[in-house]
Structure formats: structure tokens, C-alpha cells
Amino acid sequence: MSAQPAQPSPPAAPAYSPGLEGVIAGESAICQVNPEAGLLYRGYDVHDLAKHCTYEQVAYLLLMGGLPDATELARFRKELDAHRKLPEPVIGMLRLQPRGAHPMDVLRTGVSMLAGFDQDLSDNSHAANLRKSVRLIARVNTLAATAWRVMNGQEPAPQQPGLSHAADFLQQLNGKPAEDWVVRAMDVMLILYAEHDFNASTFAARVTASTLADIYAAVTAALAALKGPLHGGANEEAMKMLEELAKTPDADAWVAQRLARKEKIMGFGHRIYKKGDSRVATMRNLAKEIGPRVGQTQWVPACEALEAAMEKQKGLFANADLYAAPLFHMMGIATELNTPIFAAGRTAGWCAHITEQQDHNRLIRPKSLYNGVASRPLPPAVGRAR
Ligand code: COA
């Protein structure tokens, strides 16, 4: 009798990981987050990019895979400029928003509405996605600034062609040119926020893109995910917390009380970084530079006192959202705009991921571990209402 061929054993069921911690959910060539506190965009250290490049160069790098030469950069900036203006009906929508609506909700609605104005909407080819990415990067910037003005009873600011992306945001927000140091600080913040691997909003964007929904749908999903205080919303909450902390001289006791109440301290902790967030050092140095310039030297020591207390009491380190909060504050930005600015920076990263996802697409569809009641019959008394 001939031996039966051995049956291959069924593949081991992947282990369940709450919050998908440690799960590799896809491949990407865009960004590398090193748990030991390093961050590379397309192989370049984010600190070098923040020091030597502009946001436009970084956005181009994320989208195209390499840094632009002078001609490519000039063309990219021209394209951004050409797409900054919002369609009139979108400005009309901003006027319809209820008083007190959160700028992130308005931004999300605005991006969703912009979809209908893009002639390439349903074309998910690489080339079309890149064209739409440029429009989105330009218009999310305009939308974040213009929404704030309109909701505060002001008219949209007139466009000033030729400005950098950072300068354009500030011009559209304030209706006048910003000082050079504010523009440079904004540029650094946009660069540091531009990309961060499979974070929650990027993953939401990739899941949406994987259904072959369009790039506007995917960015809208990303914006929805970014709003939450465990993600992008943390930079707004961190400022409120720092203002509250300013009323007490004892950061250690303040932290202890909050931890005892099982409250989260915003701007601390991270799923990947366990020894500190790679972006914090650059932000801390920037805050040290800006503080004396604007007569607000209190924020860096306040953050440092919090950092010491959190490390001692919980073994946790600051993330980018802690220092982003006082930085935006010192730049004269309203706290409710902290997360929309994060979104403006991250739009380049989201678009790069959506394009990458659709270039090599497979539907993202994990499964759940069912823990509900077992199969059961309907009770006899239940019948269709007549
Ligand atoms: N303040 C207080 N405790 C925190 C904390 C924080 N900011 N971040 C994590 N912890 C604690 C948790 O309470 C938990 O403690 P326990 O084991 O004693 O219950 C432990 O650390 C693990 O936290 P967990 O929330 O499970 O980690 P995570 O990897 O799921 O979450 C964050 C990561 C970022 C969501 C989390 O650190 C957090 O909520 N931070 C505050 C919000 C924030 O700054 N978000 C921006 C991220 S860039």
C-alpha cells in the first residue's frame, strides 16, 4: 500500500493583538519609525529635513520618492499656488457652519465637499492620485485657515501668489504677511507633522483607499481619525492642560493626582516609541528659541517639569503633541487650530500612503475574534408584526 501524502497542517491562526499592537499591517517605502526614537522620511532623517528643507521639498519627497531639483521644486510650488483657491460653494458651506463648530469638523466636511470639484475624482491611477495630492495639499492649507476666518466673522483673505506653503497658511489665516521667524517655525512644524508611518489616521486612509474609494474619501477618513484626543487631538488638549498646570507650582503633585484618577496626561506616551518621540528634541529646541522672542519663557520649563514627573511616576516620555501645543501658542495660533495644522502637514503623508496603497492594492479586511453569544434560535413569541 502506498503511503498517503502528508496533509499540510493548517496555518496557525494569527494571535489576537488588542489595538493591533505589534501587528504588521502592510508594507511601505515612505517612512520608518524607529522605536529607539528615530524617524526617516524616504530614508532621510527628519531632523536634517527640518533643518535644511522646506515643507514643499518634504511633501514632494514623500509623494515622489526623492527630493526635487530646483526646476522640479519651482514647478511643484507653482502647482500648489495654482490650486490654493477654494471653490465659491465651499466658502458658502463655511458660512453655513453653526457657531462653535470645531475646526476639525469643518475641515473634514470641506475636504469631503472638495471631492466633487475635482475632475480626476474617480481616476485612481498613480498619475491622477499625484495630481489630486497636490490639489489636496494646497487646499487643506487654505481650508484650515479660511474656515477659521469665516467662522470668526471675517472674510477669506486674498491670495498672495508666490508664498511658501507655511507663509501662505499664515497669510490666509491672518490676512497679512507673517514675520520670517513665524514662517520658519510653521515650516518646521509642518515638516515634523508631515508623516508618521501607519498611525491611526494614515491607517484609516489606507483602509478606505483599499476599497478603491477615491483619495478625497480616504483623506476625509483620515481627518475623522485625526480628531480624536488619543491621536491628533492631543495637541489641543495638551495646551489646555499646560494652561491648567500653570496655576500650580508643583508639577509632580499635579501629575500624581491625575494618574491617581486614571486620567491620561496629553502629549505623553506612544504606541511605537518607548524611549521618547524622535520629534520632541527639535520641537523643544525651537520652543527654547521662540520663548524669549515672544516673552513666554514659561512653557519649556513647564513641559520639562511634566516630563520629569511622568518619567519618574509612569516611565513615559513626551510625544510631539506636548511641545507642538506651546509652539503654536507662541506663534499666535488659536489652540483650536492645533489639530487642523497637524492635518495640513500630514496631508502629504496621507496622500503618499493612499497612492502607495492603490498602486499595490489589496483590500484591507482583518477579522474579529467573536466573543458574543453562541448561535441560538429566535424565541417562539417573536413573529413578524402584522
Ligand atoms: N498618561 C497617563 N498614562 C498613560 C499615558 C498618558 N499619556 N499613556 C499611556 N499611559 C498608561 C496607560 O494608562 C496604561 O497604564 P496601565 O498599564 O497602568 O493601565 C499604559 O500606559 C499603556 O497605555 P495604553 O493606552 O494601553 O498605550 P497605547 O500604546 O495603547 O496608547 C497612546 C498610546 C498614545 C494612545 C497613549 O499613550 C495616550 O493615550 N497618550 C495620550 C494621548 C496622546 O498624547 N496622544 C498623541 C500620541 S502621538
Side-chain angles (χ1 to χ4, degrees), residues 41-42 44 48-70 72-74 76-77 80 164-165 184 187 191 194 348:
Y41 294 173
R42 301 272 189 195
Y44 296 110
D48 293 336
L49 293 171
K51 201 165 168 193
H52 301 291
C53 296
T54 61
Y55 179 76
E56 291 89 320
Q57 287 171 297
V58 170
Y60 185 101
L61 168 72
L62 292 170
L63 291 175
M64 314 295 179
L67 284 165
D69 61 25
E72 289 164 335
L73 181 60
F76 188 64
R77 287 189 57 159
L80 284 171
S164 72
H165 201 60
R184 184 59 196 143
D187 208 28
I191 291 171

Side-chain angles (χ1 to χ4, degrees), residues 229-230 234 259 264-271 314 316 319 321:
L230 297 190
L259 291 180
K264 289 264 174 94
I265 314 287
M266 290 300 156
F268 281 87
H270 201 274
R271 179 59 69 75
K314 200 74 191 168
L316 288 174
N319 61 52
D321 294 320

Side-chain angles (χ1 to χ4, degrees), residues 252 255 268 305-318:
D252 236 343
V255 165
F268 281 87
L306 265 185
E307 288 178 274
M310 280 297 276
E311 188 176 351
K312 189 170 83 182
Q313 296 183 40
K314 200 74 191 168
L316 288 174
F317 297 89

Side-chain angles (χ1 to χ4, degrees), residues 321-381:
D321 294 320
L322 179 70
Y323 278 93
L327 274 164
F328 289 139
H329 186 80
M330 291 189 285
M331 289 156 67
I333 306 271
T335 300
E336 296 96 313
L337 281 173
N338 290 3
T339 316
I341 296 172
F342 182 160
R346 185 59 57 87
T347 301
W350 289 331
C351 290
H353 276 275
I354 294 161
T355 304
E356 186 183 62
Q357 177 67 38
Q358 294 191 330
D359 285 350
H360 313 276
N361 193 53
R362 186 156 192 229
L363 178 75
I364 299 173
R365 203 296 189 192
K367 61 179 187 176
S368 69
L369 189 63
Y370 180 67
N371 67 358
V373 292
S375 168
R376 52 181 166 169
L378 277 176

